[in-house]
Amino acid sequence: MKEFPKISDAEWRVMQVIWASSPITANEVIEQLENNSDWKPKTVKTLIRRLVDKKVLGFQKEGKAYLYYPLVSENEGIRVESENFLKKVFNGSLNLMLANFIDEQRLSEEDIKELKRIINGRK
């Protein structure tokens, strides 16, 4: 697969809406984001245009509207962003990241069981 482009936090929020509701118009994206952001419609449209330019979004014209859809899966985006986070913050060390999260978070018995299940499934 081709290299996943770097997307900003704001672009990531737009992608989350599109992954959840595609195909979707720019106005529908704006409506979904207006409750939890103070972005103007022009800002959202700029973010959409950037994502199209980065070849993360595709579009098709339907009447006067453009319908936007993802060109990459949400799972692929999460995988790449997770790897980037791990490299940036923990120098690529999964052990260091897990140790940090376990030390800093209060894990319930259910959380611990789930982590054990995941680890045992990888053996």
mmCIF file of all heavy atoms in Angstrom, residues 9 14 20 22 28 53 62 64 73 83 93 112:
data_model
loop_
_atom_site.group_PDB
_atom_site.id
_atom_site.type_symbol
_atom_site.label_atom_id
_atom_site.label_comp_id
_atom_site.label_asym_id
_atom_site.label_seq_id
_atom_site.Cartn_x
_atom_site.Cartn_y
_atom_site.Cartn_z
ATOM 1 N N ASP A 9 -4.578 17.031 13.440
ATOM 2 C CA ASP A 9 -5.638 16.669 14.383
ATOM 3 C C ASP A 9 -7.004 17.129 13.878
ATOM 4 O O ASP A 9 -7.996 16.412 14.008
ATOM 5 C CB ASP A 9 -5.368 17.273 15.757
ATOM 6 C CG ASP A 9 -4.153 16.646 16.450
ATOM 7 O OD1 ASP A 9 -3.706 15.567 16.016
ATOM 8 O OD2 ASP A 9 -3.665 17.242 17.430
ATOM 9 N N VAL A 14 -12.338 15.507 10.992
ATOM 10 C CA VAL A 14 -13.171 15.460 9.784
ATOM 11 C C VAL A 14 -13.240 14.024 9.262
ATOM 12 O O VAL A 14 -14.314 13.532 8.906
ATOM 13 C CB VAL A 14 -12.631 16.427 8.704
ATOM 14 C CG1 VAL A 14 -13.344 16.220 7.370
ATOM 15 C CG2 VAL A 14 -12.777 17.876 9.177
ATOM 16 N N ALA A 20 -17.524 7.521 9.550
ATOM 17 C CA ALA A 20 -18.765 7.074 10.185
ATOM 18 C C ALA A 20 -19.986 7.238 9.292
ATOM 19 O O ALA A 20 -20.973 6.522 9.464
ATOM 20 C CB ALA A 20 -18.985 7.834 11.490
ATOM 21 N N SER A 22 -20.026 8.044 5.496
ATOM 22 C CA SER A 22 -19.829 8.259 4.061
ATOM 23 C C SER A 22 -20.788 7.417 3.233
ATOM 24 O O SER A 22 -21.223 6.359 3.693
ATOM 25 C CB SER A 22 -18.388 7.949 3.675
ATOM 26 O OG SER A 22 -18.161 6.565 3.719
ATOM 27 N N GLU A 28 -23.154 18.302 5.453
ATOM 28 C CA GLU A 28 -23.444 17.305 6.488
ATOM 29 C C GLU A 28 -22.274 17.162 7.461
ATOM 30 O O GLU A 28 -22.480 16.998 8.665
ATOM 31 C CB GLU A 28 -23.792 15.964 5.844
ATOM 32 C CG GLU A 28 -25.121 15.975 5.119
ATOM 33 C CD GLU A 28 -25.348 14.752 4.251
ATOM 34 O OE1 GLU A 28 -24.368 14.156 3.737
ATOM 35 O OE2 GLU A 28 -26.529 14.377 4.096
ATOM 36 N N ASP A 53 -6.782 16.723 -1.502
ATOM 37 C CA ASP A 53 -5.448 16.949 -2.082
ATOM 38 C C ASP A 53 -4.443 15.896 -1.627
ATOM 39 O O ASP A 53 -3.548 15.515 -2.381
ATOM 40 C CB ASP A 53 -4.922 18.344 -1.715
ATOM 41 C CG ASP A 53 -5.678 19.469 -2.405
ATOM 42 O OD1 ASP A 53 -6.436 19.194 -3.365
ATOM 43 O OD2 ASP A 53 -5.537 20.634 -1.969
ATOM 44 N N GLU A 62 -22.892 14.854 -7.328
ATOM 45 C CA GLU A 62 -24.262 14.375 -7.440
ATOM 46 C C GLU A 62 -25.174 15.601 -7.436
ATOM 47 O O GLU A 62 -25.393 16.207 -6.393
ATOM 48 C CB GLU A 62 -24.603 13.426 -6.295
ATOM 49 C CG GLU A 62 -25.892 12.676 -6.533
ATOM 50 C CD GLU A 62 -26.010 11.500 -5.588
ATOM 51 O OE1 GLU A 62 -25.262 10.533 -5.748
ATOM 52 O OE2 GLU A 62 -26.861 11.580 -4.694
ATOM 53 N N LYS A 64 -25.906 19.264 -7.570
ATOM 54 C CA LYS A 64 -25.060 20.411 -7.216
ATOM 55 C C LYS A 64 -24.104 20.098 -6.075
ATOM 56 O O LYS A 64 -23.222 20.883 -5.777
ATOM 57 C CB LYS A 64 -25.944 21.597 -6.817
ATOM 58 C CG LYS A 64 -26.735 22.170 -7.974
ATOM 59 C CD LYS A 64 -27.506 23.386 -7.524
ATOM 60 C CE LYS A 64 -28.279 23.982 -8.695
ATOM 61 N NZ LYS A 64 -28.981 25.205 -8.326
ATOM 62 N N SER A 73 -8.979 3.246 4.839
ATOM 63 C CA SER A 73 -9.852 2.741 5.896
ATOM 64 C C SER A 73 -9.505 3.380 7.239
ATOM 65 O O SER A 73 -8.375 3.838 7.464
ATOM 66 C CB SER A 73 -9.724 1.223 6.009
ATOM 67 O OG SER A 73 -8.489 0.878 6.597
ATOM 68 N N GLU A 83 1.345 3.978 15.224
ATOM 69 C CA GLU A 83 2.782 3.803 15.015
ATOM 70 C C GLU A 83 3.522 5.131 15.151
ATOM 71 O O GLU A 83 4.590 5.188 15.774
ATOM 72 C CB GLU A 83 3.047 3.197 13.634
ATOM 73 C CG GLU A 83 2.676 1.747 13.524
ATOM 74 C CD GLU A 83 2.832 1.191 12.112
ATOM 75 O OE1 GLU A 83 3.321 1.913 11.216
ATOM 76 O OE2 GLU A 83 2.447 0.028 11.913
ATOM 77 N N SER A 93 9.147 2.227 21.476
ATOM 78 C CA SER A 93 9.117 1.130 22.444
ATOM 79 C C SER A 93 7.688 0.859 22.922
ATOM 80 O O SER A 93 7.128 1.633 23.705
ATOM 81 C CB SER A 93 10.005 1.446 23.646
ATOM 82 O OG SER A 93 9.817 0.474 24.654
ATOM 83 N N ILE A 112 -7.708 -5.528 33.219
ATOM 84 C CA ILE A 112 -6.566 -6.440 33.326
ATOM 85 C C ILE A 112 -6.863 -7.755 32.616
ATOM 86 O O ILE A 112 -6.023 -8.263 31.868
ATOM 87 C CB ILE A 112 -6.197 -6.665 34.808
ATOM 88 C CG1 ILE A 112 -5.656 -5.346 35.400
ATOM 89 C CG2 ILE A 112 -5.174 -7.792 34.964
ATOM 90 C CD1 ILE A 112 -5.521 -5.349 36.914
#
